[in-house]
Amino acid sequence: MLELYEIRKTFNLGTPTPTPALRGVSLKLSPGEFVTIIGSNGAGKSSLLNAIAGTFPVDSGKIIIDGTDVTDWPEYKRASLVGRVFQDPMMGTAASMSIEENMAMAVKRGQARGLARGIKGEMRSYFRELLAGLGLGLENRLTDKVRLLSGGQRQSLTLLMATLSKPKLLLLDEHTAALDPKTAQQVSQLTDKIVRENNLTVLMVTHNMEHALKTGTRTIMMHEGQVIFDVSGRKREQMKVADLLSEFARLRGERLADDKILLG
Amino acid sequence: MLTFPVVAGVIEQGLVYSLMALGVYITFRVLDFPDLSVDGSFPLGAAVSAKLIVDGYNPFVALVVALAAGLAAGAFTGFLNTRLRISSLLAGILTMTALYSVNLRIMGRANIPLLMEPTFLTLLEKAGIPSEYVALVSFFVLVVVVKLVLDWFLHTEVGFALRATGDNPIMIRSLGVNTDRMKVFGLAISNGLVAFSGGLVAQYQGFADVGMGIGTIVTGLASVIIGEVLFHPRRVVTQVLSVIIGSMVYRLAIFLALRLGFAPTDLKLVTTVLVIIALAAPTFSRWRKQAKLLPKSAAGA
Ligand SMILES: Nc1ncnc2c1ncn2[C@@H]1O[C@H](COP(=O)(O)OP(=O)(O)O)[C@@H](O)[C@H]1O
Ligand SMILES: [Mg+2]
């Protein structure tokens, strides 16, 4: 579903302080795989997702989504294949527009937009049904401005929007990190539910190692712009956070405080 | 004192300039793009419309071409901003400055009088509308039509994309919208409306002048802000309506300022002060609150 070949990206190239963010990342995801990504701060996790989504062009390498080479595609074009939820709950919705307007825009993700009515009658009952599934009472607030929602509500809505028209690939970048623990838990459960129901292929960055091992089907660890560890199947099932840490230490030949990764 | 022609004149101006204000609303509020090119596209519309009329073209055709010229001017600002990556403010200033020369070129001189020429108003009079109502009726109908079209458009799929581009470009790009194209598009329709308004004003007042665009942006902004302060509109439909009413209220304020003895040449200053007060209102009220809080906290300490 996703193939990355030797992706490289350096920010501020040609200035006195170039920042390498991705240093040759290769990765292959089969359909239905749910990969969690961990790694310390600045390891390049967000850059990896941004590179896949097309936020910036990569310096070299090849990005193939669902069999199509999208390396030269601009971000808005890749949106037909990729759904995204950002860390900042404010970033995934248009605050001055209503819940139903936001959802209607998500229905058209990656499709041509014309002069048809943005919201058609039959959409509303569909939206109401989906929102009811969140259990947040949003099904009765279709015409409320998104500005009025809490962070957790907005993030749940964004998640719903990112998966409305089933994407080939779902990118989640620490999408629960800005929420309080209880809300974060709810949004995590919602994520699992939506991913399972739609059988989505997912890349999810998380700073919680335990969560990374418990959720999904595969875990990769990034460090200094590279994938240094990749585990799935039985080996992953038996793994504990402590094992991950010692694996990291062994691979890098350096001791690393537990919280350095946890906070990453 | 307040004879029918006087009252009608104020309303007519409020209506015809509201089309320009709606253009400013589209850039400033919908697209969140402070576009200064309107200071050039307003007289551009006037210049095109006046020049075509003195060259013998039908005044209605002249208005359509004025609109088209405005579309092009707006698209040019969009090109400067999205393709050449020039900041929004500077892109608008560049277009505005370039248009000054363009407008002089179009007119061939600084002023074209239209008093002896046919205008859309004289044509409508010939068609049977009494001359004392012709401007009022035709402007009213035009504004209603533009409002309905704008309401409709802002609720289409493209309209949603345009609004989201101004609200949250990151989000709408991730949903597959080319935000650069949306900006160019929004700037084009905005400046198209502004130039159309300029074309109408030229025919209504009976001349086009190369200097008539100075302060357009501030006037438009004044109308938008007055509408907001008066109505706090939340829905798009009411926002559009409040811009139109804001434009009428603005013209009334100008009329009263003149009655109070301000010279016509002072009006830009009056307008600017109005806009500054409106824009600074939130800051003022914050100061007031702080001033109220201070003695209390001092007492507490
Ligand atoms: N837009 C950008 N401009 C410049 N440097 C950036 C940008 N985005 C990320 N970086 C740099 O790239 C490196 C990787 O960052 P990031 O991908 O955000 O890491 P992570 O998400 O794993 O914490 C960091 O050194 C960061 O400072
Ligand atoms: Mg990050």
Side-chain angles (χ1 to χ4, degrees), chain B residues 109-120:
Chain B
R109 54 200 147 127
N111 187 295
I112 296 182
L114 292 173
L115 292 175
M116 296 297 138
E117 307 285 345
T119 66
F120 74 97

Side-chain angles (χ1 to χ4, degrees), chain A residues 53-166:
Chain A
T55 311
F56 48 71
V58 294
D59 299 336
S60 65
K62 205 151 105 179
I63 303 167
I64 295 171
I65 303 177
D66 195 28
T68 313
D69 186 338
V70 300
T71 315
D72 296 327
W73 287 20
E75 181 179 16
Y76 70 87
K77 207 170 155 197
R78 292 189 206 183
S80 59
L81 306 168
V82 179
R84 282 197 94 170
V85 182
F86 304 94
Q87 177 172 352
D88 181 353
M90 305 300 136
M91 222 137 104
T93 42
S96 69
M97 298 176 73
S98 67
I99 293 180
E100 60 178 11
E101 286 172 338
N102 272 277
M103 292 179 82
M105 291 190 283
V107 168
K108 295 293 283 183
R109 182 164 52 77
Q111 298 172 36
R113 286 159 210 261
L115 292 177
R117 286 196 75 83
I119 294 179
K120 296 165 200 79
E122 68 269 18
M123 279 184 185
R124 290 211 171 92
S125 51
Y126 175 49
F127 290 167
R128 221 169 264 132
E129 194 182 309
L130 286 170
L131 288 168
L134 298 181
L136 296 169
L138 294 181
E139 62 274 18
N140 302 317
R141 301 176 60 184
L142 280 184
T143 55
D144 274 10
K145 300 272 186 259
V146 167
R147 181 199 328 282
L148 302 171
L149 306 187
S150 70
Q153 288 173 328
R154 278 180 85 160
Q155 205 63 326
S156 305
L157 178 61
T158 308
L159 195 58
L160 208 56
M161 286 166 56
T163 51
L164 251 183
S165 52
K166 196 176 159 179

Side-chain angles (χ1 to χ4, degrees), chain B residues 227-289:
Chain B
E228 285 170 355
V229 169
L230 289 181
F231 302 105
H232 301 288
R234 265 185 269 274
R235 294 171 54 229
V236 166
V237 181
T238 39
Q239 282 173 1
V240 171
L241 183 63
S242 79
V243 172
I244 295 167
I245 299 179
S247 170
M248 315 269 256
V249 173
Y250 169 75
R251 288 297 149 186
L252 182 66
I254 290 299
F255 170 76
L256 294 177
L258 286 172
R259 281 291 163 100
L260 285 174
F262 282 96
T265 45
D266 291 335
L267 291 183
K268 301 244 187 281
L269 183 62
V270 173
T271 305
T272 309
V273 171
L274 256 176
V275 171
I276 290 174
I277 292 173
L279 286 176
T283 314
F284 287 150
S285 65
R286 208 164 40 240
W287 285 352
R288 258 213 316 278
K289 266 188 214 134

